[in-house]
Structure formats: structure tokens, C-alpha cells
Amino acid sequence: MDEVISNQRIEKLTAVLEVGKALMAERDLDTLLRTILSELTRVVEADRSSLYLVDRDRGELKTKIAQGMGIEEIRVKIGMGIAGYVAETAQPVNITDAYSDPRFSQETDRRTGYQTRNMLCVPMINKLGDVIGVCQVLNKHDGAFTKEDEELLLALAGQAAVAVENAILYEDIQTLFEGFIRASVYAIESRDPTTSGHSERVATLTVELSQQVDSVRHGPYAGIRFSRDEIREIRYAALLHDLGKVGVREPVLVKAKKLYEGDYMLIQERFGYIKKSIEADICRKKVNVLLRQSREEAMPILEGLDEELKRRSEEIDDYLRFVAQTNLPMEKSRVDRDKLYHIAQCTYRDAHGADKNYLSTQEVTDLSIGHGSLNAQERQEIESHVTHTFHYLRRIPWTRDMRRIPAIAYAHHEKLNGRGYPNGLRSEDIPLQSKIMTICDIYDALTASDRPYKRALTPATAIDILGQEARGGLLDPDLLDLFVEAKVYTLTHRQPATVG
């Protein structure tokens, strides 16, 4: 008999050690608490169990985990009830008849219809000697809880205390890191308020598309599986993919038209000066006519000069209207370059007597921009945000499960045919996570609310454009099919359009 008892004890102690290993490996607090409860109940052969954590700010014990109770949350004042007594004294309590103990509160039994016969309650003590929680088991299957049960439960509670503190610390670190991520996104979007929400929407779409890839059982991505940590890694990379925009000059970042406001105002002032110069020139001609001609001879000449002034002034006004229209972002085919070059070649004499063109070479270059509002140098500066992002993210001491974030974000503007930037990577060299993010990033950029330099497109139009890029070898067609078929795009639209 003693040998049987000894073997049972060894088995239980071994179980406690195995449970300890499992607890140390779990970082999610809710999952950990459920695991602890399950093992508490099993190891000491109890009917039910509950686990309380100390809420020092309120001087209470709280639990959302009460096995079999059907109660969302239980709160107990420290010092009240059996659990409160154990939390206050750090001493275990083993009661063979719960209802005979004046410390036992019958309220929970009345609320749940459960009848507690006996109970064992032990403190969870951390390495500093502080009680951080209480483990409680109810109704031993066969008789009352023994001294051996108490020892086993104390051992398990000690392991649980370490595991819980580790899980709470991990949650605190995650919360802190989430705060850092949010602050970084805020810094990005404060540079360009018109893009507010872009990073969050891209992250939402990217995570969903990644989860869709994880769930497919056929096709080229049937074998791909993303762990919980990998999904979090993808989400962080998506949230931070534009972090490098903080390194781009703000005038370039928010440039809405081809010319900066100050440069356009200089053209306005120049054309105003040209009109005044024309008026002054016509006035001089009129004076010369009046000095040399009789009134009768001068009248038709003066009328002709008035017509010339009107014609030339209207011409300048027309030129300025054309410049204003051309200054807006437009499609390449709409830029009338012949008229632009004609205006640029016209000359006037400045205040110092030097002949100048109506438009400078740089102004012509900027007004000739075929698509969007950025010239070649400015577009290169905008594109440099990807490299800035990589260098910024690379300086962060990521944990091992987050170490690929810089590389994932770095490749979100690469294209499968090698025509992307900044490194011209081809399909086989682009991380799958980046391919996923690219589709989501482009989609949101196309459908985002109106901006000074672009109109928002409908979801259907945006997906048509994505389809053209996929057919052109720029985007992954299988990922795009999944993006459309799973209706991932609807996550960022309150009233999603139907896409055929």
C-alpha cells in the first residue's frame, strides 16, 4: 500500500513539474489562467476551481476565470471570505466543512446553485514574497483535501505565480510596444493629415489577407501557415511601413500641385508685372503719337493702340489661366506642351532692362509633369521614405519573433517584375508578407478619401487597376484573387461596392 501511495505521489509531483513547464511556455494571460485552473482541478482531483488575482489599486481579489461557475467576474475584498483571508495572511486554508466555517460566504453558492462541501485555498506568492493571487479548489472527489493535496497545490501555485507574473509582464511590454507603435503612426500621419488612417487601414487589410492565405488549402499558398507571432509581425510591419516619411521634407510630402504655392505666386506677380509693362509701353506709344500727330490723325492710331492693349492683356490673362490649369495634377495626355513651350518662349524686359522668358526652365519642367504633382527629384525623395523606414526600423532591438519587420516593410514598393523600388527586387526575392502588404497599400491609396492631388476611386475601379497591374506582372495574381474573392477590401468600407 505504501508503495502504491508513493507511486501516486511521484506521479502527481511529476505532473506538477510537467505543468510547470507548460505554464512557463504560455504567454497569453487568459489562456494561461484557464490552463492553471484545469491543472489545479486535475492534480488534486477536485470538482471545480477558481483563480483570483490581486488588484492592489482597489484592495480586491478579482477573477474572470471560475471553472463551472458561469460568472463573468467575481470580486472579493482582501480580508473577506476564505480567498480574501488567504490573500491577507498568505496562509493556506483547508476546510472539510465549508458551511461550518464563519469565513465562508455562501452568496456565490446561492447565485449559482452550486453547493460547496469542502475547499482548499492557497496563496500564489511571487519571488519577492508578495501574494499576487489565490488558487481555490472545491469538493474533493473522494473525501476531503489532504495535507498532500495542500503541498501539491502550493507547489503548483508557486509555479503559477511565476507564470502569471511573466504573462502580465509580457502583456505590459506588449501594451508599451503597442503605445510606441501608435505614437509612431501618429508621428507619420501628423506630417500629412490628408493620409490620416492609412497605416491602420493597411494593417487591417494586410492582417486579414494574411489570415486568408493561412486558411487556403489549394493553390500555390496551400502550404503557408502564419503563427500568431507572425501575424503580429505582419501587423506591426504594416503599421510602420511609412515610418520613413518623417525623413521626407514636408513641402514635398504634402505637395498638392505641380508648383509650390510660393512659386506659383511669383508667376502671378510676374505676369502682373508683364501686364503693367505692356500698359506702360502702350502709354508711351500714345504720348509719342499725340506729340507728333494732329488730333484727327491720332484718333484712329490711339484706338488701334487701345485694341492692342486689350488683346495683349487678355492674352496674358489667358496664359495665366492656362498655367493655373496646368499646375493641377492631371493625366499625361491632357498637358498641352506646345502651348506651354510657346508661353515660356515669350519674353519681357525686367526692371533692370534684361530680357527674360515668361516662364523659367524649372517652371516649365514642373508644369510638364505628366502624372501627379511631383517632378523627378521630388518623386525620388518621396520614394526614399522606404529606405528611411528600413534604417529606422533596423535600429530597433526587435525580439527574435519580430526581427523580419524591417525587411517586410522595406519591400512593400517592390514589384514582381523587378520594376519596383528601392532595390528592384524580383518576385523570388520579395517576402510573401511584403507582396500581401503591397496589394493592400495600393488599394487603400486608390480608395482613400479625396486628397488635394487625387480623387478617391470606388472599390470596383481600384480593383480593376490592381487587376491590370497583376496582369502586367507587377502584383501577385493569386493573392489579388484571394483579396477579391474573400472580400478583404470590404473591411475598410462601411458601404462596400460590389465587385464583379
Side-chain angles (χ1 to χ4, degrees):
M1 178 64 71
D2 291 341
E3 185 177 348
V4 172
I5 294 174
S6 177
N7 288 337
Q8 289 177 341
R9 182 175 176 81
I10 291 172
E11 287 177 4
K12 288 186 176 183
L13 288 173
T14 302
V16 169
L17 292 174
E18 292 302 316
V19 170
K21 292 179 183 178
L23 296 184
M24 294 303 111
E26 182 55 61
R27 292 180 297 184
D28 180 75
L29 183 59
D30 287 341
T31 302
L32 176 64
L33 295 179
R34 284 191 291 270
T35 301
I36 292 172
L37 275 185
S38 175
E39 296 304 328
L40 289 176
T41 306
R42 183 180 66 83
V43 169
V44 298
E45 299 175 339
D47 182 46
R48 291 184 177 181
S49 59
S50 54
L51 189 150
Y52 297 87
L53 296 180
V54 172
D55 182 348
R56 299 202 180 280
D57 292 336
R58 297 175 60 172
E60 294 177 339
L61 294 173
K62 63 176 181 179
T63 181
K64 292 184 179 179
I65 310 291
Q67 192 180 58
M69 295 294 187
I71 299 174
E72 287 188 2
E73 181 177 87
I74 301 173
R75 281 187 173 268
V76 178
K77 286 289 184 182
I78 293 178
M80 295 181 63
I82 301 298
Y85 173 83
V86 171
E88 184 177 54
T89 63
Q91 296 298 316
V93 170
N94 188 346
I95 302 174
T96 57
D97 183 1
Y99 279 75
S100 67
D101 193 308
R103 297 170 298 182
F104 177 70
S105 173
Q106 301 176 25
E107 177 60 27
T108 300
D109 277 9
R110 285 195 291 268
R111 289 170 59 191
T112 63
Y114 185 76
Q115 185 171 0
T116 302
R117 299 191 314 274
N118 50 51
M119 64 189 303
L120 174 59
C121 195
V122 302
M124 295 169 57
I125 301 175
N126 67 11
K127 61 184 179 181
L128 299 177
D130 298 324
V131 177
I132 68 164
V134 171
C135 296
Q136 179 176 278
V137 290
L138 308 177
N139 295 352
K140 175 83 170 180
H141 287 165
D142 183 16
F145 293 105
T146 65
K147 186 65 176 177
E148 180 181 297
D149 291 329
E150 185 179 317
E151 292 173 357
L152 289 172
L153 199 60
L154 279 169
L156 188 54
Q159 293 178 322
V162 175
V164 167
E165 284 213 319
N166 287 343
I168 292 173
L169 177 60
Y170 183 76
E171 281 195 351
D172 288 344
I173 292 172
Q174 287 297 111
T175 300
L176 178 64
F177 195 71
E178 283 282 341
F180 161 74
I181 298 291
R182 297 288 176 189
S184 299
V185 171
Y186 177 80
I188 298 165
E189 296 183 346
S190 66
R191 299 291 309 285
D192 183 5
T194 63
T195 63
S196 179
H198 170 71
S199 297
E200 185 67 53
R201 290 191 300 272
V202 171
T204 297
L205 295 172
T206 302
V207 167
E208 178 62 20
L209 184 52
S210 299
Q211 291 172 335
Q212 291 297 328
V213 170
D214 183 78
S215 68
V216 297
R217 297 296 180 266
H218 305 285
Y221 297 119
I224 297 297
R225 296 293 178 268
F226 292 121
S227 68
R228 182 176 61 185
D229 285 341
E230 286 172 329
I231 290 293
R232 185 164 60 248
E233 180 183 58
I234 290 168
R235 176 172 172 268
Y236 287 161
L239 283 170
L240 296 171
H241 75 281
D242 277 343
L243 178 61
K245 285 185 176 179
V246 299
V248 177
R249 289 182 300 130
E250 189 169 353
V252 175
L253 197 61
V254 301
K255 190 181 181 190
K257 298 178 181 179
K258 299 177 183 180
L259 299 172
Y260 295 110
E261 187 62 27
D263 294 335
Y264 178 69
M265 289 177 64
L266 285 176
I267 293 177
Q268 286 181 306
E269 292 177 2
R270 185 186 309 145
F271 278 39
Y273 174 82
I274 292 171
K275 285 183 67 174
K276 292 296 183 182
S277 298
I278 292 172
E279 290 176 9
D281 182 53
I282 294 297
C283 285
R284 284 193 294 271
K285 289 181 178 179
K286 285 183 176 182
V287 169
N288 287 333
V289 168
L290 290 172
L291 289 174
R292 297 176 182 177
Q293 307 287 338
S294 65
R295 184 177 180 81
E296 291 77 11
E297 292 173 331
M299 286 305 295
I301 299 175
L302 294 176
E303 290 175 0
L305 290 173
D306 285 337
E307 288 295 324
E308 180 184 352
L309 175 61
K310 179 181 178 183
R311 175 182 59 78
R312 294 180 65 186
S313 294
E314 289 177 348
E315 183 179 57
I316 299 302
D317 290 338
D318 175 67
Y319 288 170
L320 188 57
R321 281 192 297 272
F322 174 79
V323 169
Q325 183 62 36
T326 307
N327 189 34
L328 301 174
M330 62 180 69
E331 296 299 326
K332 186 174 182 179
S333 59
R334 293 180 56 194
V335 178
D336 187 345
R337 284 180 167 75
D338 289 341
K339 185 170 183 177
L340 181 62
Y341 297 152
H342 167 74
I343 295 172
Q345 289 169 1
C346 295
T347 60
Y348 70 99
R349 183 158 295 176
D350 68 12
H352 303 288
D355 288 334
K356 297 289 184 66
N357 292 94
Y358 278 16
L359 297 173
S360 70
T361 301
Q362 186 60 53
E363 289 165 348
V364 172
T365 298
D366 290 341
L367 291 169
S368 298
I369 294 171
H371 181 71
S373 59
L374 304 176
N375 61 34
Q377 292 75 25
E378 292 162 344
R379 187 165 295 281
Q380 187 175 30
E381 187 172 349
I382 284 287
E383 291 179 356
S384 73
H385 83 273
V386 183
T387 302
H388 290 315
T389 294
F390 177 69
H391 290 312
Y392 294 158
L393 294 180
R394 195 171 57 173
R395 291 177 179 272
I396 297 173
W398 301 100
T399 56
R400 185 171 60 180
D401 54 349
M402 300 284 120
R403 67 186 184 280
R404 290 172 298 184
I405 287 175
I408 294 170
Y410 197 22
H412 79 275
H413 276 295
E414 300 288 355
K415 298 298 171 63
L416 305 191
N417 60 4
R419 295 183 180 178
Y421 64 88
N423 296 312
L425 301 180
R426 300 189 69 84
S427 177
E428 60 273 14
D429 298 317
I430 303 173
L432 173 59
Q433 298 93 324
S434 303
K435 295 177 184 178
I436 292 171
M437 192 196 308
T438 299
I439 291 173
C440 300
D441 183 46
I442 295 173
Y443 176 80
D444 187 73
L446 292 173
T447 59
S449 58
D450 290 348
R451 298 174 186 173
Y453 50 85
K454 66 172 279 294
R455 300 285 293 176
L457 301 181
T458 65
T461 302
I463 288 175
D464 283 343
I465 292 173
L466 289 171
Q468 293 171 17
E469 295 213 345
R471 290 188 293 275
L474 302 177
L475 303 177
D476 188 307
D478 296 298
L479 291 177
L480 180 58
D481 286 345
L482 192 58
F483 182 80
V484 176
E485 291 167 6
K487 298 188 182 300
V488 173
Y489 59 91
T490 64
L491 291 182
T492 53
H493 293 275
R494 292 182 180 177
Q495 295 180 326
T498 300
V499 180

